[in-house]
Amino acid sequence: MAAKPGIPKGTRDFSPVEMAKRNYIFNTIRDVYHLYGFQQIETPSMEMLSTLMGKYGEEGDKLLFKIQNSGDYFSGITDEELLSRNAAKLASKFCEKGLRYDLTVPFARYVVMHRDEITFPFKRYQIQPIWRADRPQKGRYREFYQCDADVVGSDSLLNEVELMQIVDTVFTRFGIRVCIKINNRKILTGIAEIIGEADKIVDITVAIDKLDKIGLDNVNKELAEKGISEEAIAKLQPIILLSGTNAEKLATLKTVLSDSETGLKGVEESEFILNTLQTMGLKNEIELDLTLARGLNYYTGAIFEVKALDVQIGSITGGGRYDNLTGVFGMAGVSGVGISFGADRIFDVLNQLELYPKEAVNGTQLLFINFGEKEAAFSMGILSKARAAGIRAEIFPDAAKMKKQMSYANVKNIPFVAIVGENEMNEGKAMLKNMENGEQQLVTAEELIGALTK
């Protein structure tokens, strides 16, 4: 008996219904990106390892899937090197390529390689899978999609404003209520400066980023363990617990950060973004959140994160402003700002809240029952007209028992069935059955099309 096949851990098969749902997500995001003037690019699944290595830190390098060279990959490797069993060194010898870890580094490589063809500012989006050799667990996969949009070659804060409008538009279309959280790296830098711990900014922000999860006491404990002085922790308390409207928070920050030029610059940038968005009539809440510190080693200005309000789940979109995206490839001074929608988490939220529209997940709209050669030939004429009118239609390929064909329609959730027997052919019509309510009516091809397209 043949062994049962399987798939690698951390990967998934998707059924037709799941793919319909996923395509609804991708198409919605893609349509909104187009509305705002973003153009799609794609980059290869595999990149040269020299492109990927060293861009994600030591831990990130370990999570890269490396691709073994074809041919005799042992040539050029000494017996001594083989016997050393140094996995990292050996991999560098017989693996020249790797699967992409994210879409950002390949995008940076793309910008550098195609700089003479690109018109700046360059507004691009990418919807493609990425791979990480991570430990698979619930909600974390080794292969998953990212839906990124970035603007590079412009320092204007209008880019941040438009990205937040995109977020608002996408989730409004999905029917998901969200809170868009915003912060600024410069504000966090200013806070670290005024409490006298400028060199501990990463430790401070990593700790306060956990406020929602572990609570204030544990945050303070973690800060103390990182060597932050009691005096500094005390100064930090009113900032961490800052409440009120966005305008009230900004007013307080202007006073608190009055001695930090960098901090005040962050307040100014945040004020511009928030005030501009206030005039745009967003459908979702936007909140200045000083505990937000995602990607601190990466972002240099505004930081964004989106939380679903009606489902307990992590962030479903994130992003921010970064400087010198392409510097690692020798092209300095290209600033950018971007967002990334978490398609897999959005999929889970839409499932939990049952927000998929019927037309997005239903495939075939109309099935023609097959009673034999003559009936099938007659049905094919109407079928062609229905498809020409944009109706998703099919005919059962075999003249099987009626029960089997109707069962097929039920399993596939096909809402209408067309029955063509000898009587229907004599009248040049078809019997159209509504599978939801059981109603039947004798119709011409034109009437059938009218019934399904109204």
Side-chain angles (χ1 to χ4, degrees), residues 188 200-210 223 291 293 296:
L188 294 169
K200 297 276 182 68
I201 180 172
V202 173
D203 290 334
I204 292 167
T205 51
V206 165
I208 65 174
D209 196 28
K210 299 174 185 172
L223 288 167
T291 67
L296 196 69

Side-chain angles (χ1 to χ4, degrees), residues 286-325:
I286 185 158
E287 176 196 345
L288 179 65
D289 182 355
L290 298 186
T291 67
L292 175 59
R294 57 181 288 128
L296 196 69
N297 296 326
Y298 181 68
Y299 296 124
T300 54
I303 309 167
F304 313 118
E305 190 167 88
V306 180
K307 297 276 190 181
L309 295 177
D310 301 315
V311 171
Q312 283 291 105
I313 198 166
S315 70
I316 52 179
T317 299
R321 165 72 63 174
Y322 46 82
D323 290 325
N324 208 19
L325 169 77

Side-chain angles (χ1 to χ4, degrees), residues 20-35:
K21 290 178 175 181
R22 287 169 68 80
N23 284 331
Y24 167 66
I25 293 168
F26 297 142
N27 292 339
T28 301
I29 293 169
R30 185 181 288 112
D31 288 349
V32 176
Y33 282 160
H34 285 161
L35 270 183

Side-chain angles (χ1 to χ4, degrees), residues 2-254:
K4 189 179 178 182
I7 60 173
K9 283 183 178 179
T11 64
R12 294 163 291 169
D13 288 325
F14 295 105
S15 69
V17 170
E18 288 170 326
M19 278 311 304
K21 290 178 175 181
R22 287 169 68 80
N23 284 331
Y24 167 66
I25 293 168
F26 297 142
N27 292 339
T28 301
I29 293 169
R30 185 181 288 112
D31 288 349
V32 176
Y33 282 160
H34 285 161
L35 270 183
Y36 285 81
F38 286 77
Q39 295 177 298
Q40 186 172 17
I41 67 163
E42 285 199 352
T43 57
S45 299
M46 55 182 161
E47 295 275 351
M48 302 304 294
L49 267 183
S50 56
T51 298
L52 301 173
M53 293 291 284
K55 311 303 188 301
Y56 309 105
E58 197 176 327
E59 282 306 305
D61 284 351
K62 290 177 186 174
L63 299 181
L64 286 169
F65 275 111
K66 300 168 181 68
I67 300 172
Q68 185 177 288
N69 295 341
S70 53
D72 183 9
Y73 51 83
F74 281 114
S75 65
I77 300 178
T78 65
D79 289 347
E80 202 175 353
E81 285 172 325
L82 279 172
L83 290 169
S84 74
R85 300 175 70 86
N86 185 323
K89 193 173 181 183
L90 287 170
S92 69
K93 293 273 188 175
F94 54 74
C95 298
E96 293 175 354
K97 297 174 284 293
L99 294 177
R100 59 168 174 253
Y101 178 89
D102 71 356
L103 297 177
T104 304
V105 169
F107 174 48
R109 189 264 312 147
Y110 177 95
V111 171
V112 173
M113 283 186 67
H114 298 273
R115 69 181 98 180
D116 295 331
E117 308 152 30
I118 291 171
T119 301
F120 292 99
F122 182 39
K123 300 171 78 170
R124 88 77 167 91
Y125 78 87
Q126 255 176 290
I127 299 176
Q128 288 188 272
I130 64 168
W131 294 267
R132 294 181 184 176
D134 214 342
R135 186 170 65 85
Q137 52 189 289
K138 185 174 171 58
R140 180 172 290 177
Y141 303 99
R142 286 176 168 170
E143 178 185 54
F144 56 96
Y145 267 76
Q146 286 189 336
C147 307
D148 287 15
D150 291 81
V151 187
V152 294
S154 169
D155 295 323
S156 171
L157 292 172
L158 286 178
N159 297 313
E160 277 86 337
V161 170
E162 285 213 328
L163 288 172
M164 293 305 92
Q165 287 180 279
I166 286 172
V167 168
D168 184 65
T169 305
V170 165
F171 287 111
T172 299
R173 290 191 177 192
F174 284 143
I176 299 173
R177 293 192 319 121
V178 298
C179 177
I180 304 166
K181 293 176 178 285
I182 179 173
N183 198 6
N184 195 296
R185 163 69 187 256
K186 297 183 181 79
I187 291 176
L188 294 169
T189 300
I191 291 169
E193 283 177 8
I194 60 114
I195 66 168
E197 299 280 3
D199 59 331
K200 297 276 182 68
I201 180 172
V202 173
D203 290 334
I204 292 167
T205 51
V206 165
I208 65 174
D209 196 28
K210 299 174 185 172
L211 184 64
D212 283 350
K213 293 173 190 162
I214 64 175
L216 184 61
D217 290 344
N218 286 320
V219 167
N220 290 336
K221 184 181 173 186
E222 189 170 317
L223 288 167
E225 286 169 358
K226 294 291 184 181
I228 313 294
S229 70
E230 280 186 34
E231 186 187 356
I233 293 171
K235 284 183 182 176
L236 199 54
Q237 299 310 292
I239 300 169
I240 294 176
L241 299 172
L242 191 61
S243 60
T245 65
N246 291 330
E248 288 166 346
K249 289 177 185 176
L250 289 166
T252 303
L253 285 171
K254 284 177 186 175

